[in-house]
């Protein structure tokens, strides 16, 4: 009987085993997870669940009995220590070996740590797990003075949740603008203005030099900036990005370059080993390059390709990168990929000042990415523009009276 072992019991791992059963795979399926909670999705942890608008149970991928019902061996609280490619085994922390014919790595990412004095004090937290979100929810309910280090998606979503809870919030960003490296200055400015309009003390071009303790000597009391400025704080949330968990793959001898390098079918340098989600640096058929995306959509959709590959179907993964955010009264979806080649301009259709628009990143007249802000049901049209590779007239692209579907 054929055996598949999936390492990593997050969204990507859970959807992989689901995909295998949906494809009719009738062999043994083992899902190994280091956490003690059954697989859950991460977006609610910094969005609806953190803000109190969604129930905890809604974050879980499957009901508690789904795994047993679908004959999936779910082993929680199990850390995989190594992979033996020659023997086709994984070895867990207790030394137990589990054999596989196909191995799927879905190990996700780990939050980057702040490397300054005081980073280990009580009250300095990261947000990655559902337990982290539970803890942060409880802390925000006490109305602390919150300092968020980092102006990426997690940092800004936590800042929005903290303001909604009535906390005084300061956000510290090393770059000139939050999200500048993701969106460029044109749209990053919009997010900076959004947070300042909602009472966030957003400070840019700044670095943290130290976190100092309160009078008890164990809990955070303030954050010291590189210029000597001291910001009083009861809670410091570190959101400075995440690093793919690739140690297992690297130690096994798989090809690792800013992620586990895989082909369009998600096969690694050992074709019996696949990678999905945050760690997969996958060859993208449409984009013509290897892409690694740390967003929910990849963890949700890549597993279907991995399952197809395992059962012998030819279904390469070619979805365009997609992500979304909700902050204050702003909802946004982004699709596409600017990549290393960059862009020539951003064309805005709609009202930037009132944050109701669709923005398009263009290179040589072609749309390479698009973002809808408080405008809905346009993602399919934006994707069609990107996939067409057509040179679109700039004025028509910017004109809200021209339906997106009429641009091609």
């Amino acid at each position: 009987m054929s055996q598949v072992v999936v390492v990593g019991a997050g969204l990507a791992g859970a959807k992989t085993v689901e995909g295998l059963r949906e494809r009719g795979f009738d062999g043994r399926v083992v899902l190994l997870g280091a956490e003690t909670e059954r697989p859950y999705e991460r977006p609610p942890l910094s969005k609806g669940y953190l803000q109190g608008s969604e129930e905890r149970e809604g974050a879980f991928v499957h009901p508690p009995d789904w795994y047993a019902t679908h004959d999936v061996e779910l082993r929680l609280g199990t850390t995989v220590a190594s992979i033996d490619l020659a023997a086709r085994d994984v070895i867990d922390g207790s030394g137990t070996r589990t054999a596989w014919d196909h191995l799927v790595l879905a190990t996700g990412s780990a939050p980057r740590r702040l490397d300054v004095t005081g980073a280990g004090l009580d009250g300095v937290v990261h947000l990655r797990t559902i337990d982290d979100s539970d803890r942060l929810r409880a802390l925000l309910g006490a109305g602390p003075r919150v300092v968020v280090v980092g102006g990426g998606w997690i940092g800004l979503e936590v800042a929005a949740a903290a303001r909604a809870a009535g906390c005084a919030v300061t956000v510290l960003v090393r770059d000139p603008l939050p999200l500048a490296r993701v969106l460029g200055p044109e749209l990053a400015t919009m997010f900076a203005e959004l947070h300042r309009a909602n009472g966030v003390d957003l400070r840019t071009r700044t670095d943290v030099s130290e976190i100092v303790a309160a009078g008890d000597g164990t809990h955070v009391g303030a954050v010291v900036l590189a210029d000597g400025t001291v910001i009083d704080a009861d809670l410091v949330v570190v959101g400075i990005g995440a690093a793919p968990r690739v140690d297992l793959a690297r130690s096994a001898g798989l090809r690792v370059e800013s992620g586990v390098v895989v082909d369009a079918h998600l096969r690694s340098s050992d074709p019996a080993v696949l990678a999905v989600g945050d760690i997969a640096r996958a060859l993208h058929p449409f984009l013509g390059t290897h892409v690694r995306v740390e967003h929910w959509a990849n963890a949700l959709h890549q597993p279907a390709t991995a399952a197809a590959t395992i059962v012998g179907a030819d279904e390469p993964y070619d979805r365009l990168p997609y992500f979304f955010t909700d902050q204050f009264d702003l909802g946004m979806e982004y699709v596409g990929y600017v990549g290393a080649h960059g862009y020539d301009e951003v064309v805005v259709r709609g009202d930037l000042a009132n944050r109701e628009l669709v923005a398009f990143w263009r290179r040589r007249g072609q749309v390479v990415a698009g973002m809808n802000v408080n405008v809905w049901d346009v993602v399919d049209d934006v994707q069609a523009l990107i996939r067409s590779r057509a040179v679109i007239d700039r004025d028509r692209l910017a004109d809200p009276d021209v339906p997106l579907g009429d641009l091609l």
Side-chain angles (χ1 to χ4, degrees):
M1 179 175 65
S2 182
Q3 301 186 106
V4 177
V5 172
V6 181
V7 179
L11 174 61
K15 297 302 285 187
T16 298
V17 300
E18 177 185 306
L20 286 167
R21 290 309 188 212
E22 287 182 345
R23 289 276 178 170
F25 180 81
D26 60 0
R28 184 186 184 198
V29 176
V30 181
L31 177 57
L32 305 174
E35 293 186 51
T36 56
E37 296 281 2
R38 72 182 191 274
Y40 56 86
E41 301 190 39
R42 298 194 188 276
L45 309 189
S46 61
K47 298 181 175 73
Y49 179 61
L50 182 62
Q51 295 176 9
S53 61
E54 298 177 13
E55 295 297 323
R56 193 177 196 269
E57 189 63 24
F60 292 95
V61 183
H62 299 117
D65 61 353
W66 185 93
Y67 301 93
T69 300
H70 291 81
D71 196 20
V72 173
E73 296 178 40
L74 176 60
R75 299 186 200 165
L76 299 175
T78 302
T79 300
V80 174
S82 62
I83 301 166
D84 187 335
L85 291 182
R88 293 299 197 243
D89 287 336
V90 295
I91 301 95
D92 66 27
S94 70
T96 301
R97 286 178 171 262
T98 304
W100 49 268
D101 297 293
H102 282 93
L103 174 66
V104 182
L105 300 179
T107 46
S109 298
R112 298 185 187 278
R113 304 288 166 171
L114 194 61
D115 186 18
V116 299
T117 300
L121 290 169
D122 291 341
V124 179
V125 302
H126 299 79
L127 178 56
R128 184 63 185 173
T129 69
I130 199 165
D131 288 343
D132 292 337
S133 190
D134 285 337
R135 190 178 309 113
L136 188 53
R137 273 183 67 164
L139 292 170
L140 294 180
R145 298 165 296 180
V146 180
V147 172
V148 177
V149 183
W153 299 113
I154 293 293
L156 294 187
E157 288 172 1
V158 169
R163 285 297 297 140
C167 302
V169 179
T170 301
V171 174
L172 306 176
V173 183
R174 176 175 289 178
D175 293 326
L177 289 164
L179 303 173
R181 301 182 191 186
V182 180
L183 302 179
E186 299 89 348
L187 275 300
T189 298
M190 177 184 68
F191 280 90
E193 292 173 348
L194 169 71
H195 278 258
R196 286 178 172 137
N198 281 278
V200 173
D201 180 6
L202 175 63
R203 306 192 188 192
T204 59
R205 302 179 188 273
T206 187
D207 275 307
V208 174
S209 65
E210 183 182 4
I211 300 174
V212 297
D216 63 5
T218 63
H219 195 278
V220 62
V223 176
V224 182
L225 306 185
D227 65 2
T229 301
V230 177
I231 302 172
D232 292 335
D234 307 300
L235 176 64
V236 175
V237 182
V238 180
I240 55 175
R245 298 180 188 269
V246 295
D247 288 349
L248 270 179
R250 181 180 287 114
S251 62
L254 299 174
R255 184 182 172 196
V256 173
E257 297 173 10
S258 300
V260 180
V261 179
V262 295
D263 65 14
H265 295 83
L266 305 179
R267 295 173 296 217
S268 73
S269 52
D270 182 325
V273 181
L274 294 81
V276 293
D278 288 2
I279 66 168
R281 185 166 174 258
L283 179 62
H284 196 287
F286 177 79
L287 298 173
T289 188
H290 282 82
V291 176
R292 189 177 70 84
V293 179
E294 293 178 2
H295 289 295
W296 162 87
N298 262 28
L300 179 68
H301 296 300
Q302 276 188 342
T305 292
T309 300
I310 289 170
V311 301
D314 181 11
E315 298 178 15
Y317 186 78
D318 68 349
R319 285 178 176 264
L320 292 172
Y322 167 92
F323 58 89
F324 71 99
T325 192
D326 297 300
Q327 300 171 32
F328 301 111
D329 60 352
L330 182 150
M332 177 278 275
E333 298 173 287
Y334 179 106
V335 66
Y337 184 72
V338 171
H341 295 295
Y343 62 95
D344 301 325
E345 65 171 345
V346 177
V347 176
V348 173
R349 162 187 289 239
D351 191 340
L352 181 59
N354 288 315
R355 297 188 280 274
E356 189 171 324
L357 63 120
V358 183
F360 304 93
W361 283 258
R362 297 209 310 168
R363 183 168 60 239
R364 296 189 297 275
Q366 299 174 341
V367 175
V368 296
M371 180 174 78
N372 49 297
V373 178
N374 292 336
V375 174
W376 306 109
D377 301 321
V378 297
V379 170
D380 288 347
D381 288 329
V382 175
Q383 290 194 70
L385 292 177
I386 296 169
R387 289 190 180 276
S388 75
R389 302 190 195 273
V391 174
I392 309 295
D393 179 80
R394 188 190 190 284
D395 291 338
R396 284 170 55 80
L397 187 63
D399 187 349
D401 292 329
V402 178
L404 290 177
D406 292 349
L407 291 172
L408 295 177

